[in-house]
Amino acid sequence: MLKELQEKYGYIFEKELIEEINQVGTFKEVTEGMLLMDIGQYIRSMPLLISGAIKILREDEEGDELLLYYLEPGDTCAMTLTCCMGSAKSEIRAIAETDTQLIMVPVQKMEEWTGKYRNWRNFVFESYHTRLMEMLETIDSIAFMNMDQRLLKYLKEKTRIGKEDMINATHQQIAYDLHTSRVVVSRLLKSLEKKGMIELHRNSIKIIALEV
Amino acid sequence: MLKELQEKYGYIFEKELIEEINQVGTFKEVTEGMLLMDIGQYIRSMPLLISGAIKILREDEEGDELLLYYLEPGDTCAMTLTCCMGSAKSEIRAIAETDTQLIMVPVQKMEEWTGKYRNWRNFVFESYHTRLMEMLETIDSIAFMNMDQRLLKYLKEKTRIGKEDMINATHQQIAYDLHTSRVVVSRLLKSLEKKGMIELHRNSIKIIALEV
DNA sequence: AGCTTGCAGTAACTTTGGTTACAAAGTCTT
DNA sequence: AAGACTTTGTAACCAAAGTTACTGCAAGCT
């Protein structure tokens, strides 16, 4: 674990902090699709991403979902950071988008470290900042963009995260993430295919050219 | 200024911090409708609210607006807090919702204080937390709710902030906040009036009973 | 092979909300 | 009081996206 820690976080954290994380943290590997955290669940530790990606979802009372953003290596979950104050229950759901390696740090350490390590403090602030910015982007998408543009953005993002020009997902799964219906996704995907931007297959979408 | 400071922040901050704020901060009074911060503007100081309320808006490239949330006494602007890192430009617009008193603190002090004062640190974390939660609520609204429900929520919120059962605003202004058109707002308001929940007047809306 | 199940394509229809257009009423100015 | 401007009400229409329903197809199973 120390090796991965140094590789991904060595340049942001001071030596002693890396040491401490190495001592109290536990290494964890999760496979694609695994549920890492659900709404209403108690938060006991915070994740530091080493590799892979985690998608963060919001859900309403009726069970309708919406993708908020992805966590990537070097990220942590800002939601977790707030567990020390107020409610300790999660407001979001976290699912492994790809196979993912992460280090879990008990939340008790967090407050201690924010006083002790300047770099940790900055890391936490920066996490909050990126998360706020990503929430803003999500708001921009759903408030100002039409479904076809949102779908396009979703495909781009997913290709970036997946690191290949093939997206493995059914139309229904995409519909859940965008909080729309399967029929609408099929319709819009078909029109993208007609424009030559993608190629549709069963359970997968081949990306040809998404830009312009 | 010291009096207001002690009154509103005395129970969260330690004496020395209050002292420091008193020394470096400047007291400011703004009247309803005043623009406090615009998108793209540089952030040089952070506000601590004493009284009144500030509304925070997001805007897209075409100039379409959307109300994000309100800042109230005891709040600060989490967006400002991130100025130390990354871009120092504002991503949002801030307009005084009512006459407002606030204390402006130069941003340079922020980093210094997060190391020095534990209560300041917690205050900053808590601000981030509330802001994230409010962003989540905004997302819930625009993603999961219909316009009639959003309007109802808006009216409730605005009555709470304004502290009276009268809302002074034109349908056009409400339409801007909700990012919809004037005609739609008029339509929905009229149907609320028919249900006996509100009373419509020129430039104002009288609230009768918004709850069920 | 025949059967079942899940995925995708498509048509027809409904709903929500955005757009255009115009009238009526209130407010302000001169 | 006349005219200009703002605000609101309303009708008629349009577009985006959600819904229902049915089809064909691919994959897996017995």
Side-chain angles (χ1 to χ4, degrees):
Chain A
M1 182 168 103
L2 191 58
K3 199 179 137 281
E4 287 92 351
L5 202 50
Q6 270 161 348
E7 203 177 288
K8 297 286 173 180
Y9 292 92
Y11 64 105
I12 0 175
F13 296 152
E14 44 274 78
K15 252 205 187 99
E16 307 89 74
L17 177 52
I18 294 279
E19 280 287 305
E20 278 211 59
I21 297 177
N22 190 41
Q23 269 170 31
V24 301
T26 53
F27 189 73
K28 206 173 161 184
E29 280 186 285
V30 295
T31 52
E32 192 184 322
M34 241 184 89
L35 179 71
L36 287 165
M37 169 61 58
D38 208 348
I39 294 162
Q41 217 170 300
Y42 284 95
I43 301 171
R44 292 211 173 69
S45 52
M46 57 175 293
L48 297 175
L49 258 78
I50 301 293
S51 71
I54 293 174
K55 75 173 172 183
I56 306 294
L57 301 162
R58 178 76 168 157
E59 191 182 61
D60 76 349
E61 317 83 49
E62 277 120 51
D64 294 328
E65 282 191 349
L66 178 75
L67 170 66
L68 292 180
Y69 50 79
Y70 293 100
L71 295 182
E72 294 177 80
D75 284 348
T76 187
C77 181
M79 300 285 173
T80 309
L81 299 172
T82 64
C83 57
C84 304
M85 38 201 80
S87 119
K89 283 188 187 167
S90 177
E91 293 280 342
I92 50 87
R93 171 173 300 151
I95 294 177
E97 170 79 9
T98 65
D99 291 351
T100 298
Q101 299 181 308
L102 34 83
I103 295 172
M104 301 301 283
V105 179
V107 291
Q108 294 80 6
K109 288 288 157 184
M110 181 194 140
E111 239 243 308
E112 193 189 316
W113 291 347
T114 49
K116 208 159 145 194
Y117 301 109
R118 200 186 136 171
N119 287 343
W120 174 258
R121 211 154 58 221
N122 285 339
F123 172 70
V124 171
F125 284 137
E126 222 159 307
S127 300
Y128 268 121
H129 182 226
T130 25
R131 233 42 68 195
L132 266 179
M133 289 305 122
E134 286 190 283
M135 296 278 271
L136 265 188
E137 242 199 272
T138 309
I139 289 178
D140 284 352
S141 301
I142 51 180
F144 302 131
M145 286 162 70
N146 282 351
M147 200 45 93
D148 51 349
Q149 295 174 284
R150 285 180 58 203
L151 178 61
L152 211 54
K153 192 179 167 199
Y154 175 85
L155 293 177
K156 280 183 205 166
E157 186 76 355
K158 202 155 167 111
T159 334
R160 190 178 66 74
I161 298 282
K163 295 182 176 68
E164 35 166 9
D165 62 349
M166 204 67 167
I167 292 174
N168 293 307
T170 66
H171 297 183
Q172 182 62 71
Q173 285 164 344
I174 297 175
Y176 283 141
D177 282 352
L178 293 174
H179 187 239
T180 180
S181 80
R182 199 271 309 167
V183 180
V184 170
V185 172
S186 292
R187 193 149 72 197
L188 295 173
L189 281 175
K190 184 50 81 180
S191 101
L192 289 182
E193 188 180 42
K194 276 181 186 151
K195 286 183 199 152
M197 299 165 89
I198 57 175
E199 222 178 84
L200 296 176
H201 302 279
R202 192 184 173 83
N203 294 318
S204 71
I205 300 168
K206 172 141 194 223
I207 306 301
I208 311 290
L210 291 185
E211 305 298 331
V212 185
Chain B
M1 183 169 101
L2 190 58
K3 198 180 138 281
E4 287 91 352
L5 203 50
Q6 270 161 346
E7 203 176 290
K8 298 286 173 182
Y9 292 91
Y11 65 103
I12 2 175
F13 295 153
E14 45 274 79
K15 251 206 186 93
E16 308 88 74
L17 178 51
I18 294 277
E19 281 287 306
E20 278 211 59
I21 297 176
N22 190 42
Q23 271 171 31
V24 301
T26 54
F27 189 74
K28 205 172 162 186
E29 279 186 286
V30 296
T31 53
E32 191 185 322
M34 240 185 91
L35 179 71
L36 286 166
M37 169 61 58
D38 209 348
I39 294 162
Q41 217 169 301
Y42 283 95
I43 300 171
R44 291 208 175 71
S45 53
M46 58 174 292
L48 296 175
L49 257 79
I50 301 294
S51 72
I54 293 173
K55 74 173 174 184
I56 306 294
L57 301 162
R58 179 74 168 158
E59 192 182 62
D60 76 349
E61 317 84 48
E62 277 120 50
D64 293 327
E65 283 192 348
L66 178 75
L67 170 66
L68 292 180
Y69 50 79
Y70 293 101
L71 295 182
E72 295 176 82
D75 284 348
T76 187
C77 181
M79 299 284 173
T80 309
L81 300 172
T82 64
C83 57
C84 305
M85 39 203 80
S87 118
K89 284 188 187 167
S90 176
E91 294 279 343
I92 48 88
R93 171 174 300 150
I95 294 177
E97 170 78 9
T98 63
D99 291 352
T100 298
Q101 299 181 309
L102 34 84
I103 295 172
M104 302 300 284
V105 179
V107 291
Q108 293 80 7
K109 287 290 160 183
M110 183 194 139
E111 239 243 310
E112 193 189 315
W113 290 347
T114 50
K116 207 158 144 196
Y117 300 108
R118 198 185 138 172
N119 286 343
W120 175 259
R121 210 155 57 221
N122 285 340
F123 173 69
V124 170
F125 284 138
E126 220 158 310
S127 299
Y128 268 121
H129 182 225
T130 26
R131 234 40 70 196
L132 267 179
M133 289 305 121
E134 286 192 282
M135 296 279 271
L136 266 187
E137 242 199 271
T138 309
I139 289 178
D140 284 350
S141 300
I142 53 180
F144 302 130
M145 285 161 72
N146 282 351
M147 199 46 94
D148 51 349
Q149 295 175 284
R150 286 180 57 203
L151 177 61
L152 212 54
K153 192 180 167 199
Y154 174 86
L155 294 178
K156 279 182 205 166
E157 186 76 355
K158 200 151 169 118
T159 330
R160 192 179 63 76
I161 298 283
K163 294 182 178 67
E164 34 166 9
D165 62 350
M166 204 69 168
I167 292 173
N168 293 306
T170 66
H171 299 181
Q172 182 61 71
Q173 285 164 345
I174 297 175
Y176 283 141
D177 283 351
L178 292 174
H179 185 239
T180 179
S181 81
R182 197 272 309 166
V183 181
V184 171
V185 171
S186 293
R187 194 148 69 197
L188 295 173
L189 281 176
K190 185 49 81 179
S191 100
L192 289 182
E193 188 180 41
K194 276 181 186 151
K195 286 182 199 153
M197 299 166 88
I198 56 175
E199 222 177 83
L200 296 176
H201 302 278
R202 193 184 171 84
N203 294 316
S204 71
I205 299 168
K206 172 143 194 223
I207 305 301
I208 312 288
L210 291 184
E211 307 296 334
V212 185

